[in-house]
């Protein structure tokens, strides 16, 4: 047991800090149960860039910038900042887009799902069951030999292009805010002070880079290798958020009237199942993709760009759910996502390996 | 010595490739090549969990792991 703690303390600390930061950022003004959500915040940033026109979800979220920069700094310090890429980038872009379709059906990435659970939102437990189901489907293909192919060494410019461009755009959003869209109502208008959000992102980015925190990897490794190290981080986030919300008197168990959530169980399940499956194919959850993009992995950078494009599609084509529930278009898009995930899974499962 | 070349593969592929080899032939000694620090950690964890002693050598950007029973 002592040995287990000495091997997994980094992931436990990371989980606890993410949970605490999520509660803190919500207290400072971020939307309810949305202290940290990679999907929501990439969606808000797509909105700020004018890629979609949903006026309620437009804000250049500093948390994302912090995670990218924190991961980059930690990776450079550990000599792990390396250009890597070339493993089916177009398919990763597509899968990233469908991760976003699933996340915006449910209303949150896997990280927000555990934060919602920690806030007492029982709809997120339904999402968790779907998420696990999606991961299990992905794991079946991994076991049969699924891979999107190997990556290759890339140069420093390829490694730095995405995180640097993203950070510079953020600086521009501070220097010339009139160039960017900014919500005056809705979730996009609810925000912690930018410096606090950036700081929280930086800390989380450093910790996630060091600990390899991943919401999908935790459950995947537990199933594949009976390795429960990563999943401990997942549980630590829930514990920290539960304790934080209880301390602030914000814990409210139930299905109805949860912040930025809906109660359609079937589509909460299916949305997160799509996120789980597609994320296993991609090798990590949205948070992990962001951290890898920060440390020079251009396959992950393309995945994040796919998520941002996916968010724009979701709002331009009426795919995203709201507190009122899912949309018909969104349901069609999630089903299309399953078909795409199945086709990619089948095409890239090498029979020789099985 | 049996060899698994997992260079270029992102996690969890290297561990899956090692797991396959271990399940297929339960080698006494296995050489694993990877080029990612995360893969080094994960393969080491997996190997130690299966009762192997794991040695790591690095040369530049690449790592050679030797798993021994």
């Amino acid at each position: 047991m002592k040995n287990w703690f000495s091997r997994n303390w980094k992931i436990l600390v990371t989980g606890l800090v993410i949970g605490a930061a999520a509660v803190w950022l919500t207290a400072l003004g971020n939307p309810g149960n949305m202290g940290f959500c990679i999907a929501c915040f990439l969606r808000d940033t797509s909105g700020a860039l004018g890629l979609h026109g949903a006026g309620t979800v437009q804000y250049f979220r500093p948390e994302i910038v912090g995670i990218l920069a924190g991961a980059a700094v930690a990776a450079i310090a550990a000599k792990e900042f390396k250009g890597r890429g070339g493993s089916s980038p177009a398919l990763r872009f597509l899968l990233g887009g469908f991760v976003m379709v699933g996340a915006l059906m449910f209303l949150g990435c896997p990280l927000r799902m555990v934060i919602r659970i920690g806030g007492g939102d029982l709809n997120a437990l339904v999402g968790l069951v779907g998420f696990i189901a999606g991961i299990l489907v992905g794991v079946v293909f991994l076991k049969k030999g699924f891979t999107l192919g190997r990556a290759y060494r890339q140069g420093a410019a390829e490694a730095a292009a995405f995180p640097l461009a993203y950070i510079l755009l953020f600086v521009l959003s501070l220097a010339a805010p009139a160039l960017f869209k900014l919500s005056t109502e809705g979730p996009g208008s609810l925000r912690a002070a930018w410096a606090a959000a950036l700081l929280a992102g930086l800390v989380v980015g450093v910790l996630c880079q060091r600990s390899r925190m991943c919401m999908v990897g935790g459950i995947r490794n537990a199933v594949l290798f009976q390795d429960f190290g990563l999943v401990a981080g997942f549980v630590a986030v829930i514990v920290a958020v539960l304790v934080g919300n209880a301390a602030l008197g914000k814990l409210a168990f139930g299905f109805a009237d949860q912040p930025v959530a809906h109660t359609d169980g079937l589509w909460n399940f299916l949305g997160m199942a799509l996120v789980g499956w597609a994320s296993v194919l991609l090798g990590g959850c949205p948070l992990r993709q962001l951290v890898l993009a920060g440390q020079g992995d251009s396959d992950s950078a393309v995945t994040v760009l796919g998520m941002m494009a996916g968010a724009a599609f979701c709002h331009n084509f009426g795919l995203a759910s709201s507190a009122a529930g899912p949309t018909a278009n969104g349901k069609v898009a999630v089903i299309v996502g399953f078909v795409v995930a199945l086709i990619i899974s089948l095409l890239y499962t090498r029979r020789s390996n099985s | 010595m049996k060899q698994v070349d997992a260079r270029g593969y992102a996690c969890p592929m290297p561990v899956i490739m090692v797991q396959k080899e271990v399940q297929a032939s339960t080698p006494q000694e296995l050489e694993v090549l990877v080029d990612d620090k995360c893969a080094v950690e994960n393969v080491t964890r997996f190997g130690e969990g299966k009762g192997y002693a794991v040695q790591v050598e690095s040369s530049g950007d690449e790592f050679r792991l030797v798993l021994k029973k």
Side-chain angles (χ1 to χ4, degrees):
Chain A
M1 202 63 197
K2 199 179 157 204
N3 199 2
W4 189 88
F5 273 106
S6 68
R7 266 192 296 148
N8 294 304
W9 67 270
K10 272 194 263 183
I11 194 81
L12 287 169
V13 168
T14 303
L16 292 173
V17 170
I18 290 179
V23 173
W24 184 58
L25 289 174
T26 305
L28 289 181
N30 273 7
N33 290 349
M34 204 193 280
F36 258 109
C37 173
I38 308 308
C40 315
F41 290 179
L42 285 172
R43 182 267 322 270
D44 291 351
T45 305
S46 283
L49 298 172
L51 300 179
H52 66 72
T56 54
V57 284
Q58 295 173 325
Y59 173 45
F60 207 126
R61 291 276 178 189
E63 290 87 347
I64 302 282
V65 182
I67 292 173
L68 276 173
V73 168
I76 290 166
K79 297 197 168 60
E80 289 178 13
F81 187 89
K82 270 198 306 190
R84 272 170 81 90
S87 161
S88 307
L91 289 179
R92 287 179 190 274
F93 185 89
L94 195 63
L95 284 168
F98 280 109
V99 163
M100 190 59 93
V101 167
L104 292 180
M105 168 57 73
F106 166 75
L107 291 173
C109 69
L111 180 57
R112 179 166 191 245
M113 178 184 72
V114 298
I115 290 169
R116 280 172 60 175
I117 292 172
D121 180 347
L122 301 180
N123 301 297
L125 279 179
V126 179
L128 174 61
V129 176
F131 184 56
I132 293 172
I135 290 173
L136 292 178
V137 173
V139 164
V140 168
F141 288 102
L142 281 185
K143 278 190 166 169
K144 285 179 185 284
F146 173 86
T147 167
L148 284 173
R150 64 159 295 180
Y152 295 87
R153 191 72 209 276
Q154 306 289 345
E158 172 78 2
F162 176 74
L164 206 57
Y166 202 103
I167 291 166
L168 290 176
L169 269 176
F170 175 68
V171 172
L172 186 63
S173 81
L174 294 178
L179 289 173
F180 296 81
K181 306 246 186 312
L182 185 62
S183 295
T184 52
E185 55 175 358
S189 70
L190 299 171
R191 43 192 182 248
W194 71 264
L198 184 64
L199 179 69
L202 275 169
V203 172
V204 168
V206 169
L207 289 171
C208 287
Q209 200 282 331
R210 295 318 305 149
S211 66
R212 329 296 188 200
M213 180 73 156
C214 178
M215 299 284 129
V216 170
I219 296 168
R220 179 197 67 204
N221 289 0
V223 177
L224 262 180
F225 314 122
Q226 289 75 52
D227 177 346
F228 298 93
L230 269 183
V231 85
F234 189 101
V235 176
V237 177
I238 298 182
V239 170
V241 175
L242 267 175
V243 170
N245 278 327
L248 296 177
K250 284 191 179 162
L251 199 53
F253 286 100
F255 285 97
D257 300 323
Q258 293 289 346
V260 203
H262 63 77
T263 55
D264 190 323
L266 174 66
W267 291 96
N268 279 330
F269 176 95
L270 290 174
M272 282 319 281
L274 178 57
V275 173
W277 186 357
S279 296
V280 168
L281 303 183
L282 287 164
C285 72
L287 172 66
R288 181 75 181 142
Q289 299 296 339
L290 205 55
V291 169
L292 287 173
Q295 65 181 66
D297 187 322
S298 53
D299 287 328
S300 288
V302 165
T303 306
V304 174
L305 287 169
M307 287 193 276
M308 294 182 75
F313 271 90
C314 282
H315 286 283
N316 290 339
F317 291 84
L319 313 180
S321 302
S322 67
T327 67
N329 291 4
K331 293 175 184 177
V332 172
V334 166
I335 291 167
V336 171
F338 280 118
V339 173
V340 169
L342 180 64
I343 291 171
I344 294 173
S345 298
L346 290 172
L347 285 178
Y348 284 77
T349 299
R350 290 190 203 154
R351 302 212 181 276
S352 60
N353 281 7
S354 60
Chain B
M1 192 178 353
K2 288 249 185 193
Q3 191 197 58
V4 171
D5 183 356
R7 283 174 294 181
Y9 288 97
C11 287
M13 288 314 297
V15 186
I16 293 177
M17 292 159 89
V18 171
Q19 186 185 36
K20 277 219 163 84
E21 191 55 52
V22 167
Q23 281 171 352
S25 65
T26 49
Q28 289 298 307
E29 277 193 331
L30 183 64
E31 181 183 37
V32 184
L33 303 177
V34 296
D35 59 2
D36 178 41
K37 201 71 186 295
C38 188
V40 174
E41 291 164 15
N42 289 340
V43 171
T44 303
R45 260 171 113 102
F46 177 80
E48 287 175 353
K50 292 283 167 194
Y52 287 91
V54 182
Q55 278 187 326
V56 184
E57 295 165 20
S58 67
S59 59
D61 288 329
E62 297 189 350
F63 301 88
R64 176 173 174 267
L65 288 80
V66 179
L67 282 65
K68 273 188 194 162
K69 271 280 186 201

